[in-house]
Amino acid sequence: MGLQNLVLIAFTVALVDGGSAFVQRNATHFILNGKPYYLNGFNAYWLMYMASDPSTSSKVTSIYQQASQHGLNVARTMAFNDGTYRALQISPGSYDETVFKTKNIFWCNFYAYIITINHFLVVGLYFGECVVMLSRNNTITGKIYKDDQTIFAWELMNEPRVQNDLSGKSFQVWVNEMAAYVKSLDSNHLLEIGLEGFYGESMPQKKRFNPAGFQSGTDFISNNQLPQIDFATIHLYPDQWLVGFNETAQNVFGDEWVKAHIEDSSDVLGKPIVLTEFGFSSKSYEYSVGKRDNYFEKLYNMIYSSASRGGPCAGGLFWQLLAGDMSGFGDGYEVIFGESPSTTNIITQQSKNMFNIK
Ligand SMILES: *[C@@H]1O[C@H](CO)[C@@H](O)[C@H](O)[C@H]1NC(C)=O
Ligand SMILES: *[C@@H]1O[C@H](CO)[C@@H](O)[C@H](O)[C@H]1NC(C)=O
Ligand SMILES: *[C@@H]1O[C@H](CO)[C@@H](O)[C@H](O)[C@H]1NC(C)=O
């Protein structure tokens, strides 16, 4: 989701299996302790924000308990609003210690319009933030973040788009520099970009899969081909991306979008792929719980079908999980386990399916 100004570097934290070793990549699979590793997870951009205040930190404890109960093993979460209440970075280069003192720490936050503004200043700031994060001692685990096995992967930026350079050249340079830099600081963890998955100039024939001819200045193929990038990601919001199209057209788009990217991950990239965001908004004009359930089920089946046949799709993370009594955080996409029994069952079944893959 485009959370304006919530700028972000996100990362994912393994909840259940994490802690014993670093998850690694072998060709198109994640590997943990010598075995393929699959994900079923959720987005919760609010974790660090809620963890930073003792009056709300119980929401974080609660969500981890609930997630474990439903078999979820990965959370994707984000850094903060800059310069506002509970900001991580209070001013450039200056960080709020109380916010850092949370287990679920969040990395370099950053401006979504990165390349469009003062490139050098911004890059300098980004470098500084990476160093701050990676050398930080996690006060709960007593580990420096780069040595912390509960972190599944780092993500460079949430949903980068570079509308002022649709050739994709600026962005390719940026990813190349940042990825090399992050890996130089932390070679233990997996790294991904945070892409939504739009195709670009490296394979122009694939642009037909983009929503209604959309161009983003990013390039699913060439960006993910960079050797420092361990796996590909896509997001999927047909209701937002194809406004004014009918339901059938949105469904066809979604099916083709997922299928094309899984095929490319296998045939072109030779890397795993994760659906790091998908959801169905109750504000959508065609919403019903049944439709959301069908949509989740369809995507989960595509993920499982790839994973169970040895394909590159390793899992999906729905947008977004909330604990109860968090109405201010609702955006229409929220799933609250206690309030959505049918959706909860589908999510739980997917955990069982994914973790039973031999
Ligand atoms: C890594 O992949 C290769 C072939 O793709 C396979 O032969 C090997 O067993 C895999 N290693 C692990 C640890 O899974
Ligand atoms: C991090 O802090 C803990 C607790 O203060 C300490 O025991 C540990 O040695 C520190 N770790 C590093 C790598 O400095
Ligand atoms: C939906 O839109 C597509 C074109 O985008 C059109 O071909 C199709 O007939 C429409 N279906 C319905 C049920 O209106």
Side-chain angles (χ1 to χ4, degrees):
M1 295 287 290
L3 297 161
Q4 306 89 355
N5 304 328
L6 229 207
V7 196
L8 342 143
I9 291 286
F11 68 77
T12 48
V13 184
L15 293 172
V16 174
D17 299 315
S20 51
F22 292 103
V23 177
Q24 295 176 314
R25 173 174 83 87
N26 180 28
T28 57
H29 295 115
F30 297 125
I31 305 283
L32 182 65
N33 297 323
K35 292 197 203 121
Y37 182 75
Y38 301 102
L39 313 175
N40 193 36
F42 62 98
N43 281 275
Y45 71 90
W46 48 269
L47 285 178
M48 186 179 189
Y49 177 85
M50 298 302 260
S52 66
D53 183 331
S55 74
T56 53
S57 61
S58 65
K59 299 289 178 206
V60 177
T61 323
S62 163
I63 216 71
Y64 279 152
Q65 278 164 357
Q66 293 184 40
S68 296
Q69 278 161 10
H70 296 95
L72 300 172
N73 68 339
V74 151
R76 176 170 171 269
T77 192
M78 297 181 180
F80 283 18
N81 285 330
D82 280 317
T84 55
Y85 178 56
R86 296 190 210 172
L88 172 61
Q89 183 175 234
I90 14 198
S91 60
S94 163
Y95 299 85
D96 183 338
E97 283 298 323
T98 57
V99 174
F100 258 121
K101 279 184 196 151
T102 55
K103 174 162 164 48
N104 307 291
I105 278 287
F106 311 70
W107 200 26
C108 322
N109 60 350
F110 197 56
Y111 304 101
Y113 43 87
I114 167 168
I115 296 171
T116 66
I117 59 170
N118 187 331
H119 184 74
F120 294 104
L121 171 68
V122 170
V123 166
L125 211 52
Y126 188 95
F127 281 163
E129 293 183 18
C130 292
V131 173
V132 169
M133 280 307 300
L134 287 164
S135 58
R136 180 69 46 163
N137 189 337
N138 182 330
T139 53
I140 309 283
T141 62
K143 281 186 179 168
I144 303 286
Y145 285 104
K146 73 185 177 66
D147 297 325
D148 192 334
Q149 288 136 340
T150 61
I151 296 168
F152 173 70
W154 299 114
E155 176 174 295
L156 289 178
M157 185 186 297
N158 180 53
E159 301 187 341
R161 293 182 180 184
V162 189
Q163 298 298 149
N164 73 344
D165 182 5
L166 296 178
S167 78
K169 286 181 185 149
S170 307
F171 190 66
Q172 184 78 354
V173 168
W174 185 83
V175 176
N176 194 24
E177 262 177 60
M178 293 304 142
Y181 181 64
V182 170
K183 284 285 184 176
S184 77
L185 295 174
D186 177 356
S187 57
N188 293 329
H189 287 107
L190 300 171
L191 179 65
E192 48 99 350
I193 301 168
L195 292 175
E196 294 159 279
F198 304 116
Y199 289 100
E201 294 307 321
S202 67
M203 287 194 173
Q205 73 279 15
K206 304 246 172 189
K207 288 198 279 186
R208 71 183 179 86
F209 291 109
N210 288 353
F214 183 72
Q215 304 208 62
S216 63
T218 64
D219 187 322
F220 177 78
I221 300 292
S222 65
N223 300 158
N224 284 313
Q225 273 174 330
L226 289 167
Q228 319 281 9
I229 301 302
D230 293 297
F231 64 99
T233 62
I234 54 170
H235 296 181
L236 177 55
Y237 292 105
D239 58 336
Q240 290 183 29
W241 292 355
L242 292 172
V243 175
F245 285 70
N246 63 35
E247 198 179 338
T248 314
Q250 292 183 356
N251 281 333
V252 168
F253 166 83
D255 291 352
E256 291 185 343
W257 181 252
V258 175
K259 191 161 165 279
H261 286 88
I262 292 179
E263 273 174 24
D264 288 335
S265 298
S266 158
D267 300 349
V268 184
L269 300 174
K271 297 180 182 182
I273 179 168
V274 178
L275 268 75
T276 39
E277 283 191 28
F278 63 88
F280 197 128
S281 175
S282 60
K283 294 173 184 165
S284 154
Y285 70 94
E286 65 210 17
Y287 178 83
S288 69
V289 174
K291 283 189 182 172
R292 179 170 76 175
D293 289 351
N294 289 342
Y295 180 67
F296 273 42
E297 207 158 31
K298 180 177 77 167
L299 292 175
Y300 281 151
N301 286 341
M302 291 174 91
I303 293 166
Y304 176 73
S305 163
S306 170
S308 61
R309 291 181 208 166
C313 192
L317 286 64
F318 67 87
W319 181 277
Q320 63 160 328
L321 183 62
L322 295 187
D325 299 323
M326 286 181 66
S327 53
F329 291 79
D331 57 359
Y333 289 86
E334 65 273 17
V335 174
I336 298 162
F337 284 142
E339 296 173 15
S340 310
S342 58
T343 313
T344 302
N345 284 342
I346 288 166
I347 293 167
T348 311
Q349 187 57 47
Q350 178 71 355
S351 300
K352 290 185 182 143
N353 293 345
M354 293 302 282
F355 305 131
N356 281 333
I357 296 174
K358 294 286 179 275

